[in-house]
Amino acid sequence: MTTIEERPAPTAAPLDTEALRRHLDGRFADLKERFRRQAPQDLFGPLDHLSTREHRDLTRERLRTLARWGGHELGYSSRWGGGDSPGGQVAQFEMLGFGDASLMIKSGVQWGLFGGAVQALGTERHHAELLGPLLRLELVGCFAMTETGHGSDVSSVGTTATYDPGTQEFVVNTPDASCRKDYIGGAAEDADIAVVFAQLVTAGEPRGVHAFVVPLRRDGNDVPGVTREDDGRKMGLNGLDNGRLSFDHVRIPRTALLNRYADVAEDGTYSSPIASANSRFFTMLGALVKGRVSVSGGALSQTKVGLEIALRYGARRTQFKRPGGDDEVVLLDYLAHQRRLLVPLATTYALSFAQDELMGEMDELLGVQLSGSEPDPARQRAFEGHAAAMKVASTWHATRTLQTCREACGGNGYLADSRLPQLKADTDVFTTFEGDNTVLLQLVAKGLLTSYAQQFSDLDTLGMARLATRDFVTTYAGRSPARSLVADVVEAGRVPDDLHDRAWQLRMLTDRERHITESLAKRMRRARSKPEADRFTAIDDLQDHLLLAGRAHTDRIVAEAFAAAIARCEDPAVATLLGDVCDLHVLALLEAEKGWYLEHRRMTTLRAKAITTAVNTLCRKLRPRTEELLAGFGTPRAWLASSLVD
Amino acid sequence: MTTIEERPAPTAAPLDTEALRRHLDGRFADLKERFRRQAPQDLFGPLDHLSTREHRDLTRERLRTLARWGGHELGYSSRWGGGDSPGGQVAQFEMLGFGDASLMIKSGVQWGLFGGAVQALGTERHHAELLGPLLRLELVGCFAMTETGHGSDVSSVGTTATYDPGTQEFVVNTPDASCRKDYIGGAAEDADIAVVFAQLVTAGEPRGVHAFVVPLRRDGNDVPGVTREDDGRKMGLNGLDNGRLSFDHVRIPRTALLNRYADVAEDGTYSSPIASANSRFFTMLGALVKGRVSVSGGALSQTKVGLEIALRYGARRTQFKRPGGDDEVVLLDYLAHQRRLLVPLATTYALSFAQDELMGEMDELLGVQLSGSEPDPARQRAFEGHAAAMKVASTWHATRTLQTCREACGGNGYLADSRLPQLKADTDVFTTFEGDNTVLLQLVAKGLLTSYAQQFSDLDTLGMARLATRDFVTTYAGRSPARSLVADVVEAGRVPDDLHDRAWQLRMLTDRERHITESLAKRMRRARSKPEADRFTAIDDLQDHLLLAGRAHTDRIVAEAFAAAIARCEDPAVATLLGDVCDLHVLALLEAEKGWYLEHRRMTTLRAKAITTAVNTLCRKLRPRTEELLAGFGTPRAWLASSLVD
């Protein structure tokens, strides 16, 4: 058991917080720093007390300011005035997350979802007509996928687009209220045009979900057959005008189909370069992945603001007299307060490094797509799984952490002036949109099962059990930069005395993922072999196991990303500090999961207790480093916009 | 391991849901049922989209309606027009919790905190002058305890009340901004008068915190020297006008001191029937306990509304096609959804039964106090610990559950129309006010240590370790109706095969509480023997252990209350259903805490896995009973006021 006395003392030399910040900023550090220094300051500032009307008006105004300032065009092809840098565009979205989330999401609807769909699913005719105006905000769009009755299950949307060869038009129609497009940002007021996902029907054949460009307004008037409704007041994000759209046999030209992956000829003949309807559907959904990466980044930014407010408040707020003294104790000097706030601070660091890795993958893969080619399908699939896992992890982390921050600031944290209520309310829907977390986590787990099955399809159960761990890790870790590190670790197979041994920490997480996935695979095989009548229940019985597998996978990739970031850090003092932060993140995670580890005989009871002690010791050790760790976030003080911070 | 096939089939006879409701309603069932049937319906109804101004006006109007209807007077002595039924008053507060929480809290400020302080801390002269008008709402009051810089630590408030024998007045003064009274409901606008907690100084001697009646407004004008500020917009409860009060040498007559427990004579001589300043302070704080019981009850009511909305939505919302079928699966048929919502439903039942037991204790003890006597100090202390534990458990349960309900309803749950955002935002401060949960939980644990020390002060460590479990339980369980049941259980000492064995379940919780408290006592003794310079850190190092002890204690008393409620249930079908609900509550708790049980060798790994299976099986079993369990809440449909429920 390691006590604080046995650990090296904090480095005497002052930490280079700029080096820490640049390292945390990662691949897009230059862009982020430019945004901090130069972005229009009227994008930021307090928002409490705004009515829905006022907040929508302010957000619209700020979106225009942002359109003039730029950055949103980065993700588009340079052929149309873009910057060929999808990562740069998402990095700017992440920076907007330090301000009003309504503006961030509003910009995401226009230039991420709507513009992104035109770019990714459309062809030259759409690009030439739409990209310029939408980048300049002369054309305001929305992204009409979700329906009232069909949230996560996009393949079941009920809106139809039926081809009429007589007029060479598609007829877009909403058969019933459950098929209204709903919660659509921009649909209540601002959008002139929509990308609508609908079931394409031609020559009497249903061809599955495709995307169409549908004008909602022409010369300031609503297009006949289009009905808009306002979703009204929401828990948060009230700067955004969410609404509902219904279509009553609205006619659009044949060329309104975004036809990169499928087309309909004048005579109604359907064609597609992708033979399988299923592959086609998932390729088109790939356009959504950037949205998930963006939400993950934005959630982390909002979390950083909340943590900084709560930590700065906790570092000056006193409560109760020190026993035997007359001074009062600073809140953050209490162990319970440190556990509440420093553990999520450490996890925010971990997720930020993992997010940066995801951004690197995305930038490469979308770069290929921008150039008109298709990325390697296996890499694309791995990236989609990675993005889903990070979206789940970051958004649930935001929900939990901002709740804790609110409570940690007591009555003050309940006042709108503190900004914490707004942060909490705005981010709350992040766990729901761009894929509900519970559904996404199951997709992550199913992805694990698929790669597991591909790898081991020719092995029997016993063979699988005997399989060296290394093979598993090599397969699962994929392109992770930490892969070789992990492989070394797993090979070594030893249990060190030191809980701060990074190799052991990663092995603990890898082993958990492996065991959970293997046992899930076996149970799933049994469930699938049941008679059809019992099959749904048999598979559904595994749902909690499936969710656990998704979590275990995410835990492992996040910790690996943190370890890799430390390994490549060139400033020794920064690396040492990050080492402690990583220890706190991983050991707090092992502590939270000790039930599983003990149950599966992966941890002795002595070690479980030692981990609790180590978490406490690390909290004490990092308490005096709080200021430096917050400096690593690099948030300009004015952006905090909270009455709790001077 | 028990599977669903091995359990008895659901009873064929239709369940008497009225019997279930009456049993859950408990001691004040008649009053609750009368309120459901007869309370003015304009107290209820949707609130979304209201501005702060509109919401405050509506709440004020509704408070007047409530004043006319009555029920709030129940907690007062019949000498002054009351009903001698403190439990009845709190039961009505609990019923208001099914509607707008702002109204509930507003009524609690007037007739619970303000009026309650006058009743409990004042004497005949205050009762005669104030109780009639405040009950009729001719006099609107507020309760000015908390200060900007002093939240949980009431003994450190900085407001002073210095006696001036020359004019026979107290001079009330706010020395600096940290001593402003803050977050005071009614202080921004409505209150004409305040009960102010201040440091009493007389003859140059500080005498500790006492309560004074201080007028804020006379004949419609602000009293000179009183400054009021508005706390502004809050996360929720915006129907309540919270504000700040500062006093600049405001003079009040000597008789303004609420002098039940201490008085100042004309010449400035201080006297008190309670010799110890500490006891006096805690006796006066006893006036707060009713507030904690009320908040616990109100939190459970709001939770019931949220759960009913989410469960009814989950029972009709479909998502994803059934494999091999064309119909879509109802959300609540998914195991993950059942786990999300049915486990908190079971825990809500558990907490409601525990709340009813707490209400019984309170009604007896406050009844004694109302009659002018003082309750037995040991019973009073036990009750205060019980109330603190329940306040913590119910309010954190509300925060967690309403968050889950919001997420379980997806995008629909984010719309204000669903009512879930309002429920979440309103209840969020419940974990903070009437004692911050983290602070209260430590008080609970310290109470455990005290009774532990009293019991075992003459035993050495070894003797303690050898002590039979039964003695411990007898001591700790106190007056719990489940005591004899538990004692029998612990004596038996066997580990049954059946996870549904109630005796074994309770023993698991009792044993955990005992072990955690014993080890805490030992560690605390070592920490207290450290040199003074190290003592704060040594004790603070135990903070997470302290919090764990508080939780373990609460878990035990809640489960015991549930077991006792089943034992006294006369309808066999209701008792059987409640048995399953109790199983789900306890087994889900044991599953969540399996880390501790495995670490401390209280559970085999095989049993840990069996518990997870049993939780899943119970979810499946209770899924078809959802409608009946919601009927047990007895919430009139109109009160749900949600777009997600027809």
Side-chain angles (χ1 to χ4, degrees):
Chain A
M1 207 152 69
T2 309
T3 72
I4 199 164
E5 288 75 22
E6 294 160 2
R7 309 290 315 273
T11 170
L15 190 91
D16 180 356
T17 52
E18 200 179 313
L20 175 63
R21 191 190 70 234
R22 285 197 68 82
H23 199 62
L24 190 65
D25 275 349
R27 287 166 174 78
F28 298 92
D30 289 341
L31 183 145
K32 291 177 182 175
E33 193 53 21
R34 191 176 86 88
F35 190 89
R36 285 189 190 105
R37 293 176 188 279
Q38 298 173 16
Q41 286 308 304
D42 50 355
L43 296 182
F44 296 89
L47 289 167
D48 26 289
H49 315 297
L50 291 184
S51 69
T52 303
R53 180 74 275 137
E54 292 162 339
H55 199 172
R56 286 185 183 179
D57 289 345
L58 178 68
T59 306
R60 196 178 295 126
E61 189 47 53
R62 284 176 167 176
L63 191 71
R64 280 194 282 264
T65 303
L66 196 61
R68 285 191 295 273
W69 196 70
H72 54 281
E73 76 291 349
L74 284 171
Y76 292 81
S77 163
S78 50
R79 266 196 75 192
W80 312 105
D84 294 322
S85 171
Q89 185 189 5
V90 175
Q92 172 153 320
F93 181 94
E94 185 183 319
M95 295 311 288
L96 287 172
F98 289 89
D100 178 18
S102 285
L103 175 64
M104 173 179 79
I105 300 298
K106 182 99 181 157
S107 80
V109 167
Q110 172 72 8
W111 297 310
L113 292 173
F114 166 63
V118 171
Q119 164 90 51
L121 304 181
T123 52
E124 178 135 358
R125 65 180 183 226
H126 306 108
H127 298 163
E129 185 190 337
L130 301 171
L131 290 184
L134 76 85
L135 285 173
R136 293 189 298 272
L137 206 60
E138 294 157 12
L139 184 71
V140 177
C142 66
F143 183 83
M145 175 181 267
T146 301
E147 297 182 350
T148 307
H150 311 97
S152 297
D153 184 10
V154 178
S155 70
S156 295
V157 296
T159 304
T160 51
T162 308
Y163 186 64
D164 175 356
T167 60
Q168 298 194 13
E169 290 172 319
F170 287 102
V171 182
V172 179
N173 193 51
T174 306
D176 60 55
S178 78
C179 304
R180 284 183 317 202
K181 298 297 175 182
D182 207 345
Y183 326 113
I184 310 299
E189 297 185 352
D190 289 357
D192 306 310
I193 190 166
V195 167
V196 174
F197 287 78
Q199 303 286 352
L200 190 160
V201 180
T202 182
E205 284 274 326
R207 293 295 188 163
V209 178
H210 292 67
F212 303 82
V213 176
V214 183
L216 305 176
R217 199 151 31 206
R218 272 201 199 93
D219 310 320
N221 299 315
D222 282 352
V223 167
V226 174
T227 305
R228 310 168 79 129
E229 289 173 86
D230 199 318
D231 274 327
R233 186 86 186 162
K234 305 182 298 291
M235 189 176 198
L237 296 182
N238 282 300
L240 204 70
D241 56 318
N242 294 78
R244 304 182 179 112
L245 295 173
S246 306
F247 304 95
D248 182 8
H249 300 89
V250 173
R251 289 186 166 261
I252 54 172
R254 185 182 66 90
T255 52
L257 171 65
L258 292 173
N259 61 336
R260 178 169 182 163
Y261 297 110
D263 210 349
V264 170
E266 293 182 4
D267 67 351
T269 308
Y270 182 82
S271 65
S272 169
I274 307 173
S276 142
N278 205 38
S279 305
R280 197 181 309 130
F281 175 66
F282 283 106
T283 302
M284 289 195 261
L285 281 196
L288 270 185
V289 181
K290 192 165 72 168
R292 286 178 187 155
V293 179
S294 302
V295 168
S296 173
L300 292 175
S301 301
Q302 295 258 300
T303 305
K304 286 171 184 169
V305 173
L307 272 173
E308 182 153 358
I309 292 169
L311 280 161
R312 292 200 180 282
Y313 180 77
R316 65 180 179 81
R317 170 79 172 184
T318 59
Q319 197 75 281
F320 293 106
K321 288 210 171 60
R322 188 179 300 274
D326 236 16
D327 60 320
E328 291 193 340
V329 179
V330 170
L331 271 191
L332 201 52
D333 287 343
Y334 288 111
L335 178 63
H337 214 73
Q338 292 165 6
R339 277 190 160 257
R340 279 174 112 174
L341 294 177
L342 294 180
V343 171
L345 178 67
T347 298
T348 303
Y349 263 81
L351 290 167
S352 296
F353 286 120
Q355 174 74 10
D356 184 50
E357 209 162 280
L358 181 65
M359 292 275 282
E361 275 175 73
M362 183 194 71
D363 199 46
E364 278 189 50
L365 290 168
L366 289 190
V368 171
Q369 210 192 34
L370 265 188
S371 73
S373 310
E374 296 303 323
D376 171 60
R379 269 193 71 187
Q380 175 70 21
R381 252 200 324 278
F383 162 62
E384 286 172 12
H386 195 170
M390 281 301 299
K391 188 270 181 182
V392 171
S394 297
T395 58
W396 265 333
H397 176 66
T399 292
R400 269 192 305 266
T401 302
L402 292 169
Q403 179 69 39
T404 302
C405 290
R406 199 303 288 159
E407 293 181 30
C409 294
N412 261 323
Y414 197 65
L415 302 186
D417 284 343
S418 73
R419 198 179 162 190
L420 292 168
Q422 181 105 41
L423 290 167
K424 177 69 183 71
D426 284 345
T427 55
D428 210 84
V429 79
F430 291 6
T431 60
T432 295
F433 70 16
E434 295 289 333
D436 180 87
N437 278 7
T438 302
V439 176
L440 278 189
L441 201 54
Q442 293 179 63
L443 287 185
V444 170
K446 283 174 187 164
L448 288 180
L449 286 180
T450 304
S451 47
Y452 183 88
Q454 281 166 354
Q455 188 70 7
F456 305 126
S457 54
D458 51 350
L459 291 170
D460 60 14
T461 309
L462 191 63
M464 276 180 3
R466 281 184 188 151
L467 208 84
T469 314
R470 182 171 188 162
D471 293 332
F472 174 90
V473 170
T474 311
T475 311
Y476 275 44
R479 292 186 64 261
S480 159
R483 181 181 54 162
S484 61
L485 176 60
V486 176
D488 289 351
V489 169
V490 171
E491 195 153 74
R494 70 205 156 77
V495 176
D497 294 332
D498 187 358
L499 296 174
H500 308 86
D501 182 323
R502 186 82 57 234
W504 169 79
Q505 292 172 357
L506 295 177
R507 196 164 65 237
M508 290 293 280
L509 297 177
T510 305
D511 178 51
R512 170 162 158 264
E513 178 188 0
R514 182 184 56 76
H515 182 92
I516 291 171
T517 310
E518 279 182 9
S519 56
L520 177 63
K522 282 177 216 160
R523 293 180 69 195
M524 191 59 88
R525 202 158 36 178
R526 279 201 298 274
R528 286 193 177 129
S529 67
K530 293 256 176 181
E532 190 163 317
D534 305 334
R535 206 174 297 156
F536 168 72
T537 304
I539 291 175
D540 189 55
D541 273 340
L542 305 182
Q543 224 180 7
D544 56 331
H545 198 152
L546 209 60
L547 292 167
L548 183 63
R551 271 201 303 276
H553 172 72
T554 312
D555 290 340
R556 195 260 302 165
I557 62 174
V558 169
E560 277 183 16
F562 202 159
I566 296 171
R568 69 172 178 265
C569 179
E570 288 168 2
D571 183 313
V574 169
T576 302
L577 177 59
L578 289 177
D580 288 337
V581 176
C582 187
D583 284 345
L584 181 57
H585 164 70
V586 175
L587 292 176
L589 173 60
L590 293 181
E591 185 187 36
E593 297 296 328
K594 69 182 174 187
W596 187 88
Y597 283 103
L598 290 159
E599 185 175 333
H600 293 83
R601 303 180 193 282
R602 257 58 178 189
M603 196 185 272
T604 63
T605 62
L606 215 63
R607 181 150 283 232
K609 287 175 187 172
I611 287 173
T612 295
T613 307
V615 169
N616 289 347
T617 304
L618 282 161
C619 283
R620 296 281 190 217
K621 189 177 183 189
L622 287 171
R623 159 72 180 93
R625 314 302 297 270
T626 309
E627 185 72 40
E628 291 161 315
L629 289 169
L630 291 178
F633 289 168
T635 316
R637 192 58 69 94
W639 290 8
L640 295 180
S642 167
S643 59
L644 305 190
V645 180
D646 296 328
Chain B
M1 204 153 69
T2 309
T3 71
I4 200 163
E5 288 76 20
E6 292 159 4
R7 310 287 319 273
T11 168
L15 190 89
D16 179 355
T17 53
E18 198 179 314
L20 175 63
R21 192 189 71 233
R22 285 197 68 82
H23 199 60
L24 189 66
D25 275 349
R27 287 165 175 79
F28 297 92
D30 289 341
L31 183 146
K32 291 177 182 174
E33 193 53 22
R34 191 176 86 91
F35 191 90
R36 285 190 190 104
R37 293 176 188 279
Q38 297 173 14
Q41 286 309 303
D42 50 357
L43 296 181
F44 295 89
L47 288 167
D48 28 287
H49 314 296
L50 291 185
S51 69
T52 303
R53 180 75 276 138
E54 293 162 338
H55 198 173
R56 285 185 184 181
D57 290 344
L58 177 68
T59 306
R60 196 178 295 125
E61 188 49 52
R62 283 176 168 176
L63 191 71
R64 280 195 282 266
T65 303
L66 197 60
R68 285 191 295 273
W69 197 69
H72 54 281
E73 76 291 349
L74 285 170
Y76 292 81
S77 162
S78 48
R79 266 197 75 192
W80 311 106
D84 294 321
S85 172
Q89 186 189 2
V90 175
Q92 173 152 321
F93 180 95
E94 185 184 317
M95 295 311 288
L96 287 172
F98 289 89
D100 179 16
S102 285
L103 175 64
M104 172 178 79
I105 300 297
K106 183 99 181 158
S107 80
V109 167
Q110 172 71 9
W111 296 309
L113 293 172
F114 167 64
V118 171
Q119 164 93 47
L121 304 180
T123 51
E124 176 135 1
R125 66 179 181 225
H126 307 109
H127 298 164
E129 185 190 337
L130 300 171
L131 291 183
L134 77 82
L135 285 173
R136 293 189 299 273
L137 206 57
E138 294 156 12
L139 183 71
V140 177
C142 66
F143 183 82
M145 175 181 269
T146 300
E147 298 182 350
T148 307
H150 311 97
S152 297
D153 185 9
V154 177
S155 70
S156 296
V157 295
T159 304
T160 51
T162 308
Y163 185 63
D164 175 355
T167 60
Q168 297 194 16
E169 290 172 319
F170 287 101
V171 182
V172 180
N173 193 50
T174 306
D176 60 56
S178 77
C179 303
R180 285 181 317 201
K181 298 296 176 183
D182 207 345
Y183 325 114
I184 310 300
E189 298 184 352
D190 289 357
D192 305 311
I193 190 166
V195 167
V196 175
F197 287 78
Q199 303 286 352
L200 189 159
V201 180
T202 181
E205 284 274 326
R207 294 295 188 165
V209 178
H210 291 68
F212 303 82
V213 175
V214 184
L216 305 175
R217 198 153 30 207
R218 271 201 201 92
D219 310 320
N221 300 313
D222 282 352
V223 168
V226 174
T227 305
R228 310 167 78 126
E229 289 171 86
D230 199 317
D231 275 327
R233 187 84 186 164
K234 304 183 299 291
M235 190 175 199
L237 296 182
N238 281 301
L240 204 69
D241 57 317
N242 293 78
R244 304 182 179 110
L245 294 174
S246 306
F247 304 95
D248 181 8
H249 299 89
V250 174
R251 289 185 165 261
I252 53 172
R254 185 182 65 90
T255 51
L257 170 65
L258 293 173
N259 61 336
R260 177 169 184 164
Y261 296 109
D263 210 349
V264 170
E266 292 183 4
D267 66 353
T269 307
Y270 181 84
S271 64
S272 169
I274 306 173
S276 144
N278 205 41
S279 306
R280 197 182 309 130
F281 175 66
F282 283 108
T283 302
M284 288 195 263
L285 281 196
L288 271 183
V289 180
K290 192 166 72 170
R292 287 180 185 152
V293 179
S294 302
V295 168
S296 173
L300 292 175
S301 302
Q302 294 259 299
T303 306
K304 286 171 185 168
V305 174
L307 272 173
E308 181 152 359
I309 292 169
L311 280 161
R312 292 200 180 283
Y313 180 76
R316 64 181 178 82
R317 169 79 172 184
T318 59
Q319 196 75 283
F320 292 107
K321 288 210 170 62
R322 187 179 303 274
D326 236 16
D327 59 323
E328 291 193 340
V329 179
V330 171
L331 271 191
L332 200 52
D333 287 343
Y334 288 111
L335 178 63
H337 214 73
Q338 291 166 5
R339 276 188 159 258
R340 280 174 112 175
L341 295 177
L342 295 180
V343 172
L345 178 67
T347 298
T348 303
Y349 263 81
L351 289 167
S352 296
F353 285 121
Q355 173 74 10
D356 184 51
E357 209 162 282
L358 181 66
M359 292 275 283
E361 274 174 75
M362 184 194 69
D363 200 45
E364 278 189 50
L365 289 168
L366 289 189
V368 171
Q369 210 193 32
L370 265 188
S371 73
S373 311
E374 296 303 322
D376 171 60
R379 269 192 72 188
Q380 175 70 21
R381 253 200 323 280
F383 162 61
E384 287 172 12
H386 194 169
M390 281 302 298
K391 189 269 182 184
V392 171
S394 297
T395 59
W396 265 333
H397 175 66
T399 293
R400 270 192 304 266
T401 302
L402 292 170
Q403 179 69 39
T404 302
C405 291
R406 199 305 285 159
E407 292 180 29
C409 295
N412 261 324
Y414 197 65
L415 303 186
D417 285 344
S418 74
R419 199 179 161 191
L420 293 169
Q422 180 104 40
L423 290 167
K424 176 70 182 70
D426 283 346
T427 55
D428 210 81
V429 79
F430 291 6
T431 61
T432 295
F433 69 16
E434 296 289 331
D436 179 89
N437 278 7
T438 303
V439 176
L440 278 189
L441 202 53
Q442 293 179 63
L443 287 184
V444 170
K446 283 173 187 165
L448 288 181
L449 286 180
T450 304
S451 48
Y452 182 88
Q454 282 166 354
Q455 187 72 9
F456 305 127
S457 54
D458 53 350
L459 291 170
D460 59 14
T461 310
L462 193 64
M464 278 178 5
R466 282 183 185 149
L467 210 84
T469 314
R470 181 170 187 164
D471 293 329
F472 175 89
V473 170
T474 311
T475 311
Y476 276 44
R479 293 186 63 261
S480 157
R483 181 180 55 162
S484 61
L485 175 58
V486 176
D488 290 351
V489 169
V490 171
E491 195 155 74
R494 68 205 158 76
V495 177
D497 294 332
D498 187 357
L499 295 175
H500 309 85
D501 181 322
R502 185 84 57 238
W504 169 79
Q505 292 172 357
L506 295 178
R507 197 165 61 238
M508 289 294 279
L509 296 177
T510 305
D511 177 51
R512 170 163 159 262
E513 177 188 2
R514 183 184 55 77
H515 182 91
I516 291 172
T517 310
E518 278 182 8
S519 57
L520 177 63
K522 283 177 217 161
R523 291 181 70 196
M524 190 61 85
R525 204 158 33 177
R526 280 201 298 275
R528 285 193 176 129
S529 67
K530 292 257 177 181
E532 191 163 316
D534 305 334
R535 207 173 298 156
F536 169 71
T537 306
I539 292 175
D540 189 54
D541 272 340
L542 305 181
Q543 224 180 5
D544 56 331
H545 198 152
L546 208 61
L547 292 167
L548 184 63
R551 272 201 303 275
H553 172 72
T554 312
D555 289 341
R556 194 261 301 165
I557 61 175
V558 170
E560 278 184 16
F562 203 159
I566 296 170
R568 69 172 176 265
C569 179
E570 288 167 1
D571 182 314
V574 169
T576 302
L577 177 60
L578 288 177
D580 288 336
V581 175
C582 187
D583 283 345
L584 181 56
H585 165 70
V586 176
L587 292 175
L589 174 60
L590 293 181
E591 184 187 37
E593 297 296 328
K594 71 181 172 187
W596 186 89
Y597 283 102
L598 290 159
E599 186 176 333
H600 293 82
R601 303 179 191 285
R602 257 61 178 187
M603 195 185 272
T604 63
T605 62
L606 216 64
R607 181 149 282 230
K609 289 176 186 171
I611 287 174
T612 294
T613 306
V615 169
N616 289 348
T617 304
L618 281 161
C619 282
R620 297 279 191 221
K621 188 177 183 190
L622 287 171
R623 160 69 180 97
R625 313 302 296 270
T626 309
E627 184 73 40
E628 290 161 315
L629 289 170
L630 292 178
F633 289 167
T635 316
R637 193 58 68 94
W639 291 7
L640 295 180
S642 166
S643 59
L644 305 190
V645 180
D646 297 326

